[in-house]
Amino acid sequence: MEGGVAGNSVPPNSFDKSKVLDVKPLRSLLPVFPEAPNGPPFVCAPPNGPFPTGFSPFFPFSGPQGSPLTPGLNQNLFNSTAMPIRSFRAEPPPASNGENVQRSNKRKSVGPSSVKKKVKRSNDSELALAALTNFKPGISAAEKDDGNRELVENVLMRFEALRRKLSQMEDAKESHSDIFKRANLKAGNIMFTKGVRTNGKKRIGAVPGVEIGDIFFFRMELILIGLHSQSMAGIDFMPMKADIEGERVAISIVSSGGYEDNAEDPDVLVYTGQGGNASADKEASDQKLVRGNIALERSLHRANEVRVIRGFKDATHQTSKVYVYDGLYKVQESWMEKGKTGCNMFKYKLVRLPGQTGAFSTWKSIRKWKEDPSSRDGLILPDLTSGAESIPVSLVNEVDDEKGPAYFTYVSTVKYPKSFKLVQPSYGCNCRDACQAGNSNCSCIQKNGGDFPYITTGILACRMPMIFECGSSCPCFRNCKNRVLQTGFKVHFEVFKTRDKGWGLRSWDPIRAGTFICEYAGEVIEKIKEKADGDDGENNDYVFNTNRVYESFKWNHETESAEERSDTSEKFDIPSPLIISSKNSGNIARFMNHSCSPNVFWQPIMYEHNNEAFLHIAFFAKKHIPPMTELTYDYGIPRSDETGSNNMEHGKKKCLCGSPKCRGYFY
């Protein structure tokens, strides 16, 4: 709009909002129903209301919390679960033989044996789902109200672990059961039921433990950490004095393209009010000054801070969205104007508070770099890989005049002088197109314990002792989703010069937890050269060794049942120690620095070629990683046989990771 950040002008041809400011919201007028001995049909609605099978209503889907109904006003009616009349159907007419006619939506009738199979599959699914809910919350009542960074990350990691597990089960049972549909909603339902959430107390301003630039891939994640408590609505609000409409102020908004927002300016957001959109059963209409709209209007006069979350299409998964927390804004002005539908819409101009870390501005810069790579400041090479990878990797230095790392040959995979021989001959699967989850006849799935290691989106479902991917003798397609490592990374990376740690690696794209980062490529060696050989020890800087001691952590969804609590599920089963040197030849993995709180972890993967098994080291995202965040992993601590000495000071370097849990050194 015209006028800049400090302008107070109202655009021409707009409506005078004062005409609607005194309108009494209809929501404040409580309906009065006639008393009758027999309640209306919707009193007998099912307990779950509009929720699908396997779901139970929970806040925020169950309605506003903390707003008791007015006593004495048809109390019995309001205590019942109301359902829209259109959701009820008349009883089917009796058939000629006296039996009720069973109706289904375009489905053929099934015989008794099919019914029994369906019932058995449904029972199996319900038992499996019940097993997943058997875990301890581990969060106190105080932590549910007020969180911190560690707690926020813990809640998000547990949600993601549960969602991935449900997605894995959904992929395997999709044609058999509806219980696992919409894994993110089901995971959120379970988390709320078990009390695994934080920052449940609504507040104005910053949310404890949530940082500007944090990214999310589901609205449920925003709810679980208290950033935005509305599952669908774009405006979240809270009462200032009492729970009446006029005293509510906006505390957060989500701008994700559902309305005609002007969201291109990184410091100014022109936000469209809620309501009035056309749908399948109604036409577009004028927006009304109620609920979130009046809350934003009140925030304009009170000048309170409003959290802004911006949503975009996920470049990696086009059907999904990614949300970024863009910090605190204030509503500066509002007006009404006609939208594209010809109906009146409220507009609110929000201005970002100065001095905050960049978030959306970073996304805009990346968008520009992708359109024109030469516009990237400090660009040395547009593609470090020289075409070896399907996606270019930029080489950038904005720190000093160094023109790049020492020379090395770029290779995209590991090179073996000899292969690991399998104990028994290994043959490929018999899948003719692509391996399908739940196919018990697929030998590759059998090698993985009966579970597909990746979900439909290519995300790693859980850490495993060893993952077996399809090999060269498998007749399935090259893009079979059990070939994640072999098809390469799908993210636009950048090798950049850090201020104090040499060269590092980061991404231009948002990375979802479980995303494949890259393989550790290089040459397999017998042992690491020692510094005593006369070199400067640089060989040790570009080495990956599976035999090191690594900090343990839990990434999979855990339950309390005895068979699920086994610690071996995340302990690797590697046939022989593997040492890879990337000093002379390697890929982007050689630029990943150490951190005591890493955002990347490694996973052993094996696939065969001519009946020989080849072990590979793959890196996956431990959590959601925002764009331009350095990617790091734990280098581990060497055993005495690696250092060649019992003195653990040998090869120790000062750690500069900056983590609150930094141990002060690494090897």
Side-chain angles (χ1 to χ4, degrees):
M1 63 165 284
E2 302 290 332
V5 173
N8 291 317
S9 60
V10 176
N13 302 323
S14 62
F15 289 85
D16 184 0
K17 65 179 180 180
S18 62
K19 294 180 180 180
V20 292
L21 288 179
D22 294 330
V23 174
K24 187 66 175 177
L26 292 177
R27 186 172 177 271
S28 64
L29 303 177
L30 293 173
V32 178
F33 295 96
E35 299 291 349
N38 297 320
F42 53 78
V43 172
C44 301
N48 280 359
F51 286 80
T53 305
F55 287 81
S56 59
F58 60 95
F59 177 76
F61 299 98
S62 58
Q65 298 267 319
S67 302
L69 296 167
T70 305
L73 185 64
N74 293 17
Q75 191 67 40
N76 293 333
L77 177 60
F78 281 100
N79 285 339
S80 305
T81 303
M83 289 286 288
I85 293 177
R86 65 175 178 272
S87 66
F88 289 85
R89 299 173 180 172
E91 291 294 327
S96 58
N97 59 359
E99 296 179 357
N100 286 340
V101 178
Q102 292 184 347
R103 300 178 63 183
S104 61
N105 294 331
K106 300 181 181 180
R107 291 183 182 177
K108 296 181 180 180
S109 58
V110 291
S113 60
S114 299
V115 172
K116 289 179 181 178
K117 289 179 181 178
K118 271 192 172 183
V119 170
K120 184 179 185 304
R121 288 166 178 166
S122 178
N123 290 340
D124 291 344
S125 299
E126 290 174 358
L127 289 173
L129 181 62
L132 288 182
T133 63
N134 186 22
F135 62 90
K136 293 181 179 179
I139 297 178
S140 67
E143 290 173 331
K144 290 179 184 178
D145 287 339
D146 299 286
N148 52 53
R149 186 62 179 174
E150 183 177 2
L151 191 56
V152 164
E153 290 188 338
N154 176 266
V155 169
L156 292 174
M157 186 171 289
R158 293 174 69 177
F159 167 79
E160 257 299 298
L162 178 56
R163 187 198 66 82
R164 291 192 308 271
K165 185 62 179 177
L166 287 166
S167 295
Q168 186 184 43
M169 299 169 76
E170 176 184 343
D171 291 345
K173 300 180 180 295
E174 186 169 8
S175 59
H176 310 318
S177 173
D178 291 335
I179 288 180
F180 301 106
K181 297 286 187 181
R182 301 297 299 274
N184 62 309
L185 293 181
K186 174 55 76 175
N189 188 356
I190 295 173
M191 296 279 282
F192 269 96
T193 302
K194 301 294 288 188
V196 183
R197 60 172 304 184
T198 188
N199 293 319
K201 182 175 66 177
K202 285 194 173 185
R203 70 198 74 216
I204 294 173
V207 175
V210 181
E211 297 180 355
I212 295 173
D214 282 350
I215 60 172
F216 313 90
F217 290 87
F218 299 97
R219 291 282 289 263
M220 183 58 66
E221 293 175 300
L222 307 178
I223 299 170
L224 287 170
I225 63 170
L227 188 60
H228 185 85
S229 69
Q230 301 295 321
S231 60
M232 298 292 290
I235 307 172
D236 194 11
F237 47 83
M238 65 175 288
M240 288 291 288
K241 293 181 179 179
D243 191 15
I244 60 176
E245 187 78 24
E247 293 299 324
R248 296 185 179 188
V249 296
I251 57 175
S252 64
I253 61 173
V254 176
S255 174
S256 57
Y259 289 87
E260 301 171 23
D261 298 342
N262 184 352
E264 288 305 308
D265 192 319
D267 295 315
V268 179
L269 171 64
V270 178
Y271 187 79
T272 303
Q274 61 185 196
N277 273 353
S279 62
D281 56 352
K282 69 176 182 178
E283 296 180 352
S285 61
D286 292 345
Q287 292 184 346
K288 297 176 174 59
L289 196 62
V290 296
R291 297 180 60 79
N293 295 338
I294 201 171
L296 276 172
E297 188 67 37
R298 182 65 61 179
S299 292
L300 167 63
H301 298 292
R302 290 187 176 269
N304 65 278
E305 297 169 336
V306 179
R307 299 185 294 273
V308 170
I309 301 103
R310 298 188 187 238
F312 316 92
K313 280 188 177 180
D314 185 359
T316 313
H317 306 95
Q318 289 294 327
T319 58
S320 304
K321 283 188 176 180
V322 56
Y323 302 90
V324 55
Y325 173 46
D326 197 33
L328 301 177
Y329 285 63
K330 284 190 177 181
V331 185
Q332 191 180 80
E333 62 178 302
S334 67
W335 64 93
M336 181 181 278
E337 67 180 35
K338 284 191 180 296
K340 294 179 180 179
T341 62
C343 298
N344 296 328
M345 299 185 303
F346 290 102
K347 294 286 186 176
Y348 301 92
K349 179 181 176 182
L350 293 95
V351 179
R352 197 168 192 259
L353 301 185
Q356 299 182 89
T357 304
F360 177 55
S361 59
T362 301
W363 290 63
K364 284 189 67 68
S365 297
I366 293 172
R367 190 186 306 168
K368 181 181 177 182
W369 302 338
K370 287 185 175 181
E371 294 172 354
D372 180 14
S374 63
S375 64
R376 175 73 172 102
D377 291 339
L379 182 69
I380 300 173
L381 287 174
D383 186 12
L384 176 69
T385 76
S386 300
E389 304 285 3
S390 60
I391 300 177
V393 178
S394 304
L395 179 65
V396 175
N397 185 354
E398 298 177 281
V399 176
D400 53 36
D401 296 328
E402 188 176 356
K403 295 303 180 182
Y407 177 80
F408 73 101
T409 301
Y410 193 97
V411 295
S412 58
T413 190
V414 67
K415 184 187 296 184
Y416 278 86
K418 60 180 180 179
S419 66
F420 286 106
K421 296 288 185 181
L422 291 177
V423 177
Q424 295 178 344
S426 175
Y427 302 97
C429 61
N430 296 318
C431 304
R432 290 299 169 186
D433 42 20
C435 298
Q436 299 294 329
N439 181 8
S440 58
N441 296 321
C442 175
S443 59
C444 293
I445 291 181
Q446 292 173 3
K447 292 176 187 176
N448 288 301
D451 290 324
F452 212 85
Y454 310 105
I455 59 179
T456 302
T457 54
I459 300 295
L460 182 67
C462 58
R463 295 171 74 205
M464 298 174 63
M466 177 70 70
I467 288 177
F468 296 89
E469 287 197 355
C470 294
S472 60
S473 61
C474 295
C476 55
F477 295 155
R478 174 67 181 171
N479 62 353
C480 169
K481 58 181 184 176
N482 195 32
R483 299 178 185 266
V484 168
L485 180 145
Q486 300 166 66
T487 54
F489 55 77
K490 304 295 189 291
V491 179
H492 194 135
F493 291 109
E494 172 183 282
V495 173
F496 72 106
K497 184 66 180 295
T498 68
R499 295 195 177 276
D500 50 13
K501 295 180 292 184
W503 296 91
L505 182 69
R506 59 190 177 193
S507 166
W508 286 7
D509 297 317
I511 300 177
R512 185 180 301 204
T515 297
F516 171 65
I517 302 297
C518 65
E519 177 182 356
Y520 196 100
E523 300 174 289
V524 174
I525 59 177
E526 292 293 332
K527 65 177 182 176
I528 303 172
K529 288 184 179 181
E530 300 180 24
K531 290 185 179 182
D533 292 343
D535 61 26
D536 58 1
E538 188 182 0
N539 288 300
N540 293 4
D541 294 338
Y542 295 99
V543 166
F544 183 91
N545 189 346
T546 62
N547 204 36
R548 285 191 170 189
V549 178
Y550 293 90
E551 183 99 12
S552 63
F553 68 95
K554 294 295 182 182
W555 195 69
N556 300 348
H557 174 66
E558 287 188 300
T559 63
E560 290 298 307
S561 57
E563 63 273 13
E564 295 286 345
R565 288 176 60 185
S566 174
D567 292 335
T568 59
S569 61
E570 294 193 51
K571 286 186 176 180
F572 297 143
D573 182 14
I574 300 176
S576 177
L578 179 67
I579 305 174
I580 304 173
S581 171
S582 60
K583 183 181 187 318
N584 299 318
S585 61
N587 66 346
I588 58 174
R590 73 195 297 273
F591 297 108
M592 273 197 288
N593 286 312
H594 164 81
S595 175
C596 300
S597 298
N599 50 21
V600 171
F601 65 86
W602 62 277
Q603 163 73 49
I605 296 180
M606 190 176 288
Y607 57 87
E608 57 81 28
H609 181 72
N610 294 331
N611 293 331
E612 293 180 337
F614 291 87
L615 180 63
H616 300 258
I617 302 301
F619 290 99
F620 293 89
K622 186 177 181 181
K623 57 184 180 180
H624 299 334
I625 306 174
M628 304 303 287
T629 301
E630 185 177 2
L631 304 177
T632 58
Y633 72 98
D634 178 15
Y635 281 10
I637 299 175
R639 303 178 191 271
S640 58
D641 56 349
E642 179 183 341
T643 62
S645 169
N646 290 324
N647 181 12
M648 292 306 293
E649 296 297 317
H650 183 78
K652 184 181 288 188
K653 303 179 183 68
K654 182 180 180 180
C655 182
L656 301 173
C657 71
S659 164
K661 296 183 178 180
C662 180
R663 52 181 177 254
Y665 62 90
F666 73 99
Y667 290 89

